[in-house]
Amino acid sequence: MPSADWRGAWSAALDELELDVLTVETLLADERRLLETPPANLWRPPTELGALPLELKPRADGILTRQLAVAAEIARRITANRQQAAMTARIETGEAVKRPVYLDCAM
């Protein structure tokens, strides 16, 4: 039977991972905070804990599902940002346009 310390260590590791996901979910919900918040430290999986206790599997699966949803939302926003940047690049601002200023009539 697994010890309480083992379960507690895994629970603490999942707490840390879940907090990271919650932070990103919160940032995605509030663009102003996203711009003002420095990048977070990367989460590193614990190496000394061994196998995940079975009773924590549903929680770990829930965190994984949220991570995948956050990753998909980030990818969607990156794509939308690139599309917006491409559209913005096509808008003429009225400033001097850097185009060729001569016409080759030799042909």
Side-chain angles (χ1 to χ4, degrees):
M1 178 132 217
S3 71
D5 290 341
W6 177 60
R7 263 192 294 278
W10 262 110
S11 186
L14 290 176
D15 287 345
E16 185 180 346
L17 183 59
E18 190 168 26
L19 183 59
D20 286 347
V21 175
L22 179 61
T23 300
V24 175
E25 289 170 337
T26 303
L27 289 175
L28 288 173
D30 184 354
E31 290 185 29
R32 181 189 56 78
R33 284 188 57 190
L34 181 62
L35 296 173
E36 296 173 357
T37 304
N41 295 328
L42 292 177
W43 182 82
R44 303 221 188 289
T47 56
E48 68 283 346
L49 295 182
L52 177 73
L54 285 178
E55 64 267 14
L56 293 178
K57 186 178 183 321
R59 181 175 173 205
D61 288 342
I63 294 170
L64 176 61
T65 299
R66 289 172 58 197
Q67 282 181 315
L68 294 172
V70 165
E73 180 63 15
I74 289 171
R76 187 193 68 74
R77 290 189 185 197
I78 287 171
T79 300
N81 189 21
R82 286 182 181 161
Q83 290 171 343
Q84 186 175 10
M87 290 294 290
T88 303
R90 290 186 218 146
I91 297 173
E92 291 193 27
T93 62
E95 296 178 16
V97 180
K98 296 180 181 176
R99 294 186 180 145
V101 293
Y102 63 91
L103 177 61
D104 186 358
C105 296
M107 295 177 87

